[in-house]
Amino acid sequence: MIVKSLSFSQKFAEKHLIYLGFKGNLLKIDGKRIRMKVIKFGGSSLATAQQVEKVVRIIEADTERRFVVVSAPGKRTPEDTKVTDLLIAVYQARLAEQPIDNIVEKIYQRYVEIAAPYQVEPIILADILNELTNLNHLAIEDNPYFLDTILATGENCNAQLIASVLRAQGMAARYINPQELGIIVTPEPQNAQMITKYYQTIHQWAHSEEILVIPGFFGYTEDGNICTFSRGGSDVTGAIVARGVKASLYENFTDVNGIYAAHPGYVHEPETITEITYREMRELAYAGFSVFHEEALMPSFKANIPVVIKNTNNPSHPGTLITTKRTNLEKPVVGIASDEGFSMIYLSKYLMNREVGFTLRILEIFRDFNLNYEHIPSGIDDLSIILRSNQLTAELQEELLRKIAYEIDPDELRITHDLSLVVVVGEGMKHRVGSMAESTAALARKNINIEMINQGSSEVSIMFGIHKEREVDAIRNLYYTFFD
Ligand code: ASP
């Protein structure tokens, strides 16, 4: 294999990474030592043969791209159905004991369409058809991994196909199964977690001579069952592989230029964030920024591997770099996010601060009702508990309030629904006076009533609880306060 000379932007990126102290493993190709990158492509990047062509060019353009993680083919048009969603239809048909042949044919044709312009080995398409047809015979009874096994087929078939496409384009590439690679996970259907000790197994692949094409979204339990991560989990696979092989960079290719500073549906052409820390990203992801899977941050963070979010349709755009330390803290705020569907239980009791174990008693009630809470902002004599509304039914709410009233005997107790949480995020706020004042002033200008304020102790974010009808106005005004 020939190591191409680096383009200006690659050299710049290298320098930047060295400056940030990221080294990663080195691989020798033709006597030269190169760093290794993990590159992940989302479903929209692999939806058609035309998109796959872009993917091939991207992989080809940089010899450091050694580990390729793929999603299942996504939507070709906004009305189209993703392969994973077609597989959910297979699952439902199987449960209803209905034939799946039509859906299987539809899925198979997605791969045939992608393969058409390439000299893909005929055995690959035959294997894909076989794997899909076999879903007819998968055991339902006593099989907690029934859905997971069906879902994983989308990624598994695609990885085999993409490896074959790369070979057809003259690259030394091969499909690798997650079990062989070492992605061994906890036995929690649709919510698998990587078992830390197996990172060592993955590391044994660090110096593979071939480009390894890995299906995203699933791993294997220690007992050998297929178990998927939560939806959108191919990002998680990419992060696990990056940590396992100690990559110098994890490139996550999607269909936007990077992470926007605010939702583009709310703000006209928001800025793309150039650099963001893991902590900032975590806060934004929590409040609805869905470009990168929440759980994918941890493996990269633990191994100190920077992540870059890039656009398959515009690969020369620098994208958004997620890193441990931002070099530029000039701007106090990096992004503004929001999420709806919250309720708030407010209670006050005179001299609450003197009652030992007061908060604990309330939280025990929450535990007894199996309720998760999100935040507890508090004052001297009062506190609010914010929780996701979808956990509450009318009866449960009534019982919960009755129990709190009985056991805690508060002076005031009420519940508010239809809340949205709006979060202003930025490490730069720590070193700057007035971010809170500017934020509340922005909301006051639009006459937006603040039901709750919570400033995390890390001072990376300020959170406002407001009525959901004012969410868009709030985002816009906060955005124009800190950006533009
Ligand atoms: N195909 C899976 C999903 O749609 C996983 C992924 O695309 O990351 O959720």
Side-chain angles (χ1 to χ4, degrees):
M1 195 184 289
I2 301 157
V3 178
K4 292 185 191 144
S5 67
L6 298 177
S7 68
F8 172 74
S9 64
Q10 279 170 310
K11 279 186 190 148
F12 175 80
E14 278 219 320
K15 254 189 164 165
H16 189 67
L17 294 176
I18 292 165
Y19 165 72
L20 289 169
F22 299 112
K23 292 195 186 73
N25 263 329
L26 293 173
L27 171 70
K28 249 189 178 173
I29 294 183
D30 288 352
K32 292 197 184 175
R33 290 167 83 77
I34 65 162
R35 275 192 291 276
M36 293 172 308
K37 294 174 186 162
V38 171
I39 182 164
K40 180 254 163 183
F41 293 96
S44 58
S45 305
L46 299 158
T48 61
Q50 207 186 2
Q51 287 300 92
V52 168
E53 181 63 27
K54 295 178 192 169
V55 164
V56 171
R57 300 282 90 87
I58 290 169
I59 298 172
E60 210 175 48
D62 184 349
T63 43
E64 296 183 5
R65 294 177 172 144
R66 311 296 305 161
F67 301 88
V68 180
V69 175
V70 298
S71 285
K75 292 182 179 195
R76 292 162 291 189
T77 60
E79 300 73 40
D80 199 13
T81 312
K82 295 166 88 165
V83 163
T84 307
D85 290 331
L86 289 171
L87 287 163
I88 291 178
V90 168
Y91 163 76
Q92 284 159 345
R94 281 288 322 268
L95 287 186
E97 294 182 13
Q98 279 165 2
I100 62 167
D101 308 350
N102 280 345
I103 320 171
V104 161
E105 178 58 23
K106 222 172 171 179
I107 300 173
Y108 175 61
Q109 285 307 325
R110 294 291 313 267
Y111 296 106
V112 171
E113 189 188 306
I114 293 169
Y118 302 98
Q119 302 280 313
V120 165
E121 298 104 337
I123 182 82
I124 298 292
L125 283 173
D127 282 351
I128 289 175
L129 185 58
N130 208 12
E131 197 167 328
L132 291 168
T133 316
N134 276 342
L135 297 178
N136 250 321
H137 313 295
L138 201 62
I140 303 183
E141 305 264 299
D142 296 325
N143 182 3
Y145 304 100
F146 178 60
L147 175 58
D148 298 55
T149 312
I150 294 178
L151 290 178
T153 319
E155 270 65 18
N156 202 44
C157 294
N158 215 21
Q160 293 172 62
L161 180 60
I162 299 300
S164 180
V165 167
L166 295 180
R167 284 194 294 276
Q169 298 292 296
M171 283 179 251
R174 87 148 165 116
Y175 157 86
I176 183 163
N177 179 276
Q179 192 176 33
E180 191 185 355
L181 186 71
I183 305 185
I184 308 299
V185 297
T186 55
E188 296 165 81
Q190 296 125 65
N191 190 29
Q193 310 289 322
M194 176 69 187
I195 301 176
T196 315
K197 65 178 183 198
Y198 292 104
Y199 279 116
Q200 277 174 13
T201 315
I202 301 179
H203 191 252
Q204 290 165 10
W205 293 94
H207 301 288
S208 163
E209 292 273 303
E210 290 157 310
I211 294 176
L212 298 181
V213 184
I214 306 147
F217 191 33
F218 68 98
Y220 281 76
T221 63
E222 287 180 315
D223 295 341
N225 291 300
I226 288 178
C227 194
T228 69
F229 302 113
S230 55
R231 283 297 302 263
S234 298
D235 282 351
V236 180
T237 303
I240 289 171
V241 177
R243 178 171 170 187
V245 301
K246 299 200 172 85
S248 60
L249 181 65
Y250 171 22
E251 295 177 300
N252 191 293
F253 275 80
T254 171
D255 53 6
V256 286
N257 279 341
I259 298 166
Y260 293 119
H263 194 302
Y266 299 166
V267 172
H268 180 63
E269 294 186 358
E271 278 182 22
T272 310
I273 302 170
T274 44
E275 210 186 343
I276 184 169
T277 65
Y278 286 103
R279 273 206 302 186
E280 291 169 329
M281 191 60 220
R282 165 82 184 109
E283 300 273 345
L284 289 174
Y286 167 77
F289 270 41
S290 56
V291 180
F292 190 58
H293 197 295
E294 244 184 317
E295 290 172 40
L297 283 173
M298 196 38 92
S300 331
F301 171 70
K302 287 250 166 153
N304 198 13
I305 296 165
V307 181
V308 67
I309 311 285
K310 285 181 71 92
N311 190 351
T312 303
N313 304 314
N314 188 11
S316 56
H317 191 286
T320 301
L321 183 69
I322 310 174
T323 159
T324 27
K325 216 173 170 139
R326 253 197 299 142
T327 45
N328 180 1
L329 284 174
E330 214 173 274
K331 272 197 182 159
V333 172
V334 286
I336 296 154
S338 62
D339 201 5
E340 57 172 39
F342 292 92
S343 298
M344 177 172 77
I345 295 175
Y346 171 84
L347 57 92
S348 73
K349 190 172 188 189
Y350 185 54
L351 296 184
M352 171 185 113
N353 62 332
R354 300 232 189 122
E355 278 188 44
V356 174
F358 184 86
T359 318
L360 178 66
R361 269 158 47 220
I362 299 172
L363 294 184
E364 275 169 354
I365 298 175
F366 267 68
R367 185 201 54 205
D368 296 345
F369 280 82
N370 201 19
L371 289 170
N372 251 326
Y373 70 89
E374 305 287 324
H375 309 277
I376 317 186
S378 65
I380 326 169
D381 283 341
D382 57 3
L383 59 79
S384 306
I385 302 167
I386 318 276
L387 69 163
R388 295 214 180 248
S389 316
N390 58 9
Q391 299 180 87
L392 291 173
T393 59
E395 301 92 74
L396 198 129
Q397 173 181 318
E398 210 185 304
E399 262 186 67
L400 174 73
L401 293 182
R402 204 177 311 127
K403 182 105 184 202
I404 296 175
Y406 178 74
E407 294 209 0
I408 308 289
D409 192 24
D411 301 329
E412 194 182 341
L413 175 65
R414 60 183 142 82
I415 183 161
T416 317
H417 297 296
D418 293 332
L419 277 185
S420 282
L421 295 185
V422 174
V423 198
V424 179
V425 177
E427 302 245 14
M429 291 195 292
K430 252 190 288 197
H431 311 289
R432 184 167 175 278
V433 178
S435 310
M436 173 70 92
E438 281 178 60
S439 306
T440 49
L443 298 178
R445 269 199 301 280
K446 281 281 156 181
N447 213 10
I448 297 171
N449 184 33
I450 303 172
E451 312 259 358
M452 182 277 299
I453 299 185
N454 190 13
Q455 179 164 31
S457 19
S458 61
E459 283 188 63
V460 172
S461 70
I462 307 174
M463 180 177 284
F464 299 101
I466 57 166
H467 194 275
K468 72 168 187 208
E469 277 178 5
R470 306 306 313 274
E471 185 178 327
V472 179
D473 261 350
I475 291 279
R476 277 191 195 137
N477 276 282
L478 288 166
Y479 180 83
Y480 292 119
T481 299
F482 291 106
F483 295 85
D484 207 14

